[in-house]
Amino acid sequence: MQPFFETSTKYRKLILITFILMAGLSGLMMTGVDVNYDMTDYLPGDTQSTEAITVMEEEFAGDLPNARVLLNEVTLLEALEYKERIQNISGIRSVEWLDDVFGEDVLLTTPLAFFDASITDNYFRDQRALLELTVESGLESEAVGEIRELIGEENAVAGHAVNTAESQDMAFTEVFNALTILLPVILIILFIATSSWVEPFLYFITIGIAVLINMGTNLFIGEISFVTQTVSPILQLAVSLDYAIFLMHTFNDQKKTHEAKTAMINALRIVLPTIAASAATTIVGFSALMFMRFGIGSDLGLNLVKGISLSFLSVIFFLPALTLVAHGLIEKTKHRNFLPKFHKVGRGMVRIRIFFLIIALLVVIPSYFARSEVDFLYGTGDMAEGSRAGDDLERINQDFGTSNPLVLMIPKSQPGEEVTFTDELSALPHITGVVSYVTSVGPEIPRTFAPQEVTDQFYSDTYSRIILYLDLPAEGDRTFQVVNRILETADNAFDTYYLAGESASLLDMKEVIEADTRVVNLIAVAGIFLVILVTFKSLTIPLFLVLTIESAIWINLSFPYYTASPLSYVGYLIISTIQLGATVDYAILLTHNYLTDRKSLPKKEAMVKTLSENLVAILISAGILSFSGFILGLTSTNPIISELGILLGRGTFLSFSMVVLVLPALFLMFDRVIEKTTLKSDFYRNRKKEF
């Protein structure tokens, strides 16, 4: 292995040039990476709602509406003029209004009172018109901007496409804002933790280059989700800074007795097993996300696995080369040690370990059960109050009520059969409108007599299309119950049917993600358990480490239950693996050093030494990751990103607390068991009474 350790020192200029060129190229490539903001695109292709969208695109010209425009103080003719102008905006695939239901000639020549009010009230009432739009995916920001410019402040536009446009507009800004706050905080922490003013900047350059390469190489993937774009860079930075800190801490120790080049080779040899084990457990935890059928998990998992691998390589090759090149500057910018000694703290923690263990049991047991009682959300939610999108949505809901459209496609049938079926749908609770050929034109009028643009809205060669309006939000128990009732009603009447719409997609998302949970958690736990087993060659140590972090996860995920607030299921699923994969490193570091100290000291003295010497390193690492999570949560306006950040910040703090307060108590309590179940443990034994 000696030639390998010498690589970073012998070819340091070549390594620096190679990494810098790769980072520069990746920075250019990053601008070509597409970002997807639609979570429903990540549903598996065999789900009911995904198949429904495919069938609708193949059979019908009009798409499922994803936005609504409110026009105040307009006549029917003025509303039609607005519709035509909106239709000409780039990115608008279709605009639907009353003329699509009854035909433009019929609408303009027939008094409004002659039409069915249950249909017309969904589109026009009290000189206010409500248009339904379909905005093309990826063009939401430009289209919504032009719509707002056209309709002015006195009118409103809202819906899923508008929320997506807001997210697109804020995506870069939010990452920039988070990093603007986060980087100075991390710098302050690193200035305190290191002995040189230059050293923290070497860390940032090393991990920053890995982040750039990671984001740039996404061009080969083709597209990433908005969750990945926002979370991945910050998470990669916060998680992998540990590796740089561990290496440089060991390098500084080695410099006390060796010249710089030899010290770096020795540091690499000493620290590589620990860094490799930490990176391996993190990669295994993130890899579990790639087994999700819901595509956002695999998208984020792949990106994080790639990112952590690149950070590991950057720390092993680029950082040693950069450090040796900048060694003279590091020496010139030395400062005194700002951190206090923690020997008394470590001794005190060992003395009251049983107290910590009892408190942990009292908290962990109810948390385990509470986390399964949390109410979940499966979509992105609405934009925050106070934003233009939030205010417009409130105005539309006040004038026209909550409108949640669904499109049901059934086999083309006789008018009488269709009338019976639409009557059954109308009788279902929370359905405020059923728009079909027989309800808008009438079953007595033959299809060949109706205007072509009207029949095309409701019939293809194979299917009849029925539009349903619910007075319920896009998701929730009642909404999912109604969606299931619609599907059951269709199943009783037809062999083939398809239901499309946001609520139908969210119901499928709920079922897919819930199934993913069991698979992902099992893979993450089993994989990390195996890595720890191989690393420490022990049957019991993996059990204690995984249990410690899992307990912190249970506590973290029980907070929404005790605060009676719903939790994003995507955030819940992702944090379960991220918190395990990212924070088990603290337990590995403590365990590695404890086992080393235990070979020459009694168990209590060994634990005091381990805590005293490693508490700072764990605290710094946890502090950086926790601050990263909280800052991400506080700066993001996207509900999923914000919630994921809060979960990460709180979860990291809880993992840190469990590792430094509870894991030592478990190690001391089960010292004999660990010795017997660990290969070549070589624990120190004597007859002197320990304190």
Side-chain angles (χ1 to χ4, degrees):
M1 291 293 287
Q2 188 70 14
F4 172 80
F5 295 131
E6 292 178 353
T7 301
S8 297
T9 59
K10 186 176 181 180
Y11 303 103
R12 52 182 177 270
K13 290 184 180 180
L14 177 62
I15 290 171
L16 290 177
I17 293 172
T18 302
F19 271 84
I20 291 171
L21 288 176
M22 289 173 61
L25 179 61
S26 297
L28 295 175
M29 293 165 57
M30 192 168 59
T31 60
V33 178
D34 293 327
V35 181
N36 192 329
Y37 295 85
D38 191 347
M39 290 180 62
T40 59
D41 285 350
Y42 291 93
L43 279 169
D46 58 355
T47 57
Q48 188 281 141
S49 61
T50 303
E51 292 178 345
I53 292 173
T54 302
V55 169
M56 188 168 65
E57 289 175 347
E58 292 173 351
E59 298 284 336
F60 295 93
D63 297 302
L64 188 67
N66 55 15
R68 296 187 292 168
V69 170
L70 172 66
L71 302 171
N72 289 302
E73 301 299 326
V74 293
T75 64
L76 292 175
L77 187 59
E78 288 170 337
L80 287 170
E81 291 174 353
Y82 266 111
K83 175 187 174 182
E84 183 177 358
R85 294 173 68 183
I86 292 173
Q87 181 71 71
N88 292 328
I89 292 175
S90 176
I92 302 299
R93 298 185 64 173
S94 64
V95 184
E96 296 182 6
W97 196 54
L98 277 173
D99 59 310
D100 296 301
V101 178
F102 300 113
E104 184 174 339
D105 292 338
V106 174
L107 179 64
L108 294 177
T109 57
T110 306
L112 200 62
F114 282 36
F115 297 109
D116 186 345
S118 66
I119 295 176
T120 58
D121 283 352
N122 287 317
Y123 299 96
F124 190 81
R125 63 173 76 168
D126 302 326
Q127 300 303 302
R128 293 191 297 271
L130 186 67
L131 281 61
E132 296 186 336
L133 323 178
T134 301
V135 184
E136 189 173 343
S137 178
L139 300 178
E140 292 90 351
S141 180
E142 296 85 349
V144 170
E146 290 191 45
I147 291 170
R148 284 174 171 166
E149 185 177 345
L150 172 64
I151 65 177
E153 294 288 336
E154 65 274 14
N155 299 312
V157 56
H160 181 70
V162 180
N163 294 347
T164 300
E166 295 278 318
S167 298
Q168 289 174 343
D169 293 339
M170 293 182 294
F172 176 79
T173 304
E174 290 190 348
V175 174
F176 179 78
N177 290 342
L179 290 175
T180 301
I181 300 171
L182 180 61
L183 293 183
V185 171
I186 295 177
L187 267 178
I188 292 171
I189 294 173
L190 293 177
F191 283 145
I192 295 172
T194 60
S195 58
S196 168
W197 297 111
V198 171
E199 201 171 305
F201 293 102
L202 303 186
Y203 299 167
F204 276 130
I205 293 171
T206 300
I207 305 302
I209 280 179
V211 170
L212 270 177
I213 296 173
N214 187 34
M215 299 305 290
T217 51
N218 286 330
L219 184 65
F220 300 115
I221 299 174
E223 181 182 82
I224 59 173
S225 72
F226 71 96
V227 176
T228 298
Q229 186 200 38
T230 308
V231 172
S232 178
I234 296 174
L235 201 56
Q236 183 184 346
L237 171 68
V239 170
S240 54
L241 269 174
D242 292 358
Y243 314 151
I245 293 171
F246 294 164
L247 176 61
M248 292 300 290
H249 177 74
T250 307
F251 170 67
N252 288 327
D253 282 344
Q254 289 296 309
K255 275 201 309 180
K256 296 173 183 177
T257 54
H258 299 86
E259 54 90 21
K261 183 178 178 180
T262 304
M264 182 57 74
I265 293 173
N266 291 342
L268 283 168
R269 185 176 60 253
I270 293 169
V271 84
L272 185 60
T274 302
I275 295 179
S278 296
T281 52
T282 304
I283 288 171
V284 167
F286 293 163
S287 295
L289 292 170
M290 296 167 62
F291 289 86
M292 290 176 61
R293 294 185 68 228
F294 184 55
I296 279 186
S298 58
D299 182 78
L300 179 61
L302 174 61
N303 201 270
L304 289 173
V305 166
K306 181 159 59 76
I308 297 301
S309 300
L310 287 168
S311 291
F312 174 76
L313 293 175
S314 187
V315 168
I316 295 302
F317 291 104
F318 182 81
L319 180 58
L322 181 63
T323 301
L324 293 177
V325 169
H327 183 253
L329 187 58
I330 295 173
E331 291 298 314
K332 291 178 182 178
T333 56
K334 288 280 188 180
H335 61 72
R336 69 179 182 86
N337 191 348
F338 297 117
L339 291 173
K341 300 297 182 181
F342 280 86
H343 185 75
K344 291 184 179 180
V345 175
R347 183 172 292 271
M349 291 166 64
V350 170
R351 285 189 182 278
I352 58 174
R353 63 189 183 279
I354 301 302
F355 171 77
F356 292 138
L357 189 58
I358 293 172
I359 293 297
L361 288 173
L362 293 176
V363 174
V364 169
I365 293 174
S367 296
Y368 175 81
F369 295 101
R371 87 202 198 308
S372 61
E373 300 298 324
V374 173
D375 293 325
F376 293 107
L377 296 175
Y378 297 87
T380 58
D382 296 320
M383 298 307 292
E385 292 183 10
S387 66
R388 171 74 188 271
D391 293 341
D392 282 4
L393 177 63
E394 186 176 354
R395 291 167 61 190
I396 292 174
N397 287 343
Q398 284 178 348
D399 291 343
F400 282 88
T402 301
S403 179
N404 183 4
L406 294 168
V407 174
L408 179 63
M409 289 164 288
I410 58 174
K412 203 171 181 179
S413 57
Q414 295 300 316
E417 187 178 354
E418 193 171 317
V419 168
T420 302
F421 182 66
T422 54
D423 287 343
E424 288 183 45
L425 294 174
S426 299
L428 295 177
H430 298 291
I431 293 183
T432 58
V434 178
V435 180
S436 67
Y437 182 89
V438 297
T439 61
S440 57
V441 180
E444 66 280 356
I445 299 177
R447 300 165 187 169
T448 54
F449 287 12
Q452 185 69 35
E453 67 267 20
V454 174
T455 55
D456 286 347
Q457 289 293 315
F458 299 112
Y459 294 114
S460 69
D461 293 338
T462 310
Y463 295 100
S464 299
R465 183 164 70 168
I466 302 170
I467 303 173
L468 310 173
Y469 292 92
L470 278 61
D471 61 355
L472 293 170
E475 63 178 305
D477 290 341
R478 287 193 301 170
T479 302
F480 293 148
Q481 288 172 6
V482 173
V483 172
N484 280 320
R485 288 286 300 277
I486 294 169
L487 292 170
E488 289 171 4
T489 303
D491 189 60
N492 291 333
F494 306 100
D495 293 331
T496 305
Y497 55 88
Y498 299 97
L499 182 65
E502 188 176 4
S503 292
S505 295
L506 288 173
L507 177 60
D508 282 339
M509 195 180 298
K510 173 179 182 292
E511 294 172 351
V512 169
I513 292 176
E514 286 178 349
D516 282 342
T517 303
R518 295 183 290 273
V519 175
V520 170
N521 286 343
L522 179 62
I523 292 173
V525 170
I528 290 175
F529 187 97
L530 183 61
V531 171
I532 299 172
L533 177 68
V534 172
T535 300
F536 294 110
K537 299 178 178 59
S538 171
L539 296 175
T540 51
I541 286 177
L543 179 64
F544 291 130
L545 267 58
V546 171
L547 180 62
T548 298
I549 304 301
E550 281 292 317
S551 298
I553 294 173
W554 298 336
I555 298 171
N556 190 22
L557 295 177
S558 69
F559 272 74
Y561 172 78
Y562 293 117
T563 57
S565 55
L567 175 66
S568 164
Y569 207 100
V570 175
Y572 161 74
L573 182 56
I574 291 175
I575 198 63
S576 296
T577 49
I578 285 180
Q579 186 178 341
L580 176 60
T583 63
V584 75
D585 292 356
Y586 315 151
I588 289 174
L589 177 64
L590 185 139
T591 304
H592 175 79
N593 287 283
Y594 172 71
L595 292 179
T596 301
D597 293 334
R598 187 66 182 87
K599 295 179 186 297
S600 58
L601 292 170
K603 61 180 182 180
K604 291 182 182 178
E605 281 84 350
M607 185 56 72
V608 169
K609 183 174 184 293
T610 299
L611 287 172
S612 301
E613 294 178 352
N614 296 280
L615 187 59
V616 172
I618 298 173
L619 178 61
I620 292 169
S621 177
I624 289 173
L625 186 56
S626 186
F627 271 117
S628 301
F630 283 126
I631 289 171
L632 184 65
L634 295 174
T635 57
S636 178
T637 57
N638 186 294
I640 289 180
I641 303 300
S642 177
E643 194 166 77
L644 184 58
I646 297 298
L647 285 169
L648 179 62
R650 187 174 62 217
T652 302
F653 172 77
L654 290 168
S655 291
F656 165 78
S657 301
M658 292 294 292
V659 167
V660 301
L661 299 177
V662 177
L663 186 60
L666 292 174
F667 278 176
L668 295 179
M669 182 178 293
F670 294 97
D671 182 76
R672 286 282 188 181
V673 176
I674 293 172
E675 181 182 16
K676 297 295 184 183
T677 57
T678 302
L679 188 64
K680 297 181 181 179
S681 57
D682 298 328
F683 280 8
Y684 173 85
R685 292 292 172 194
N686 70 358
R687 297 184 178 181
K688 291 177 64 177
K689 185 178 180 181
E690 299 179 24
F691 69 87

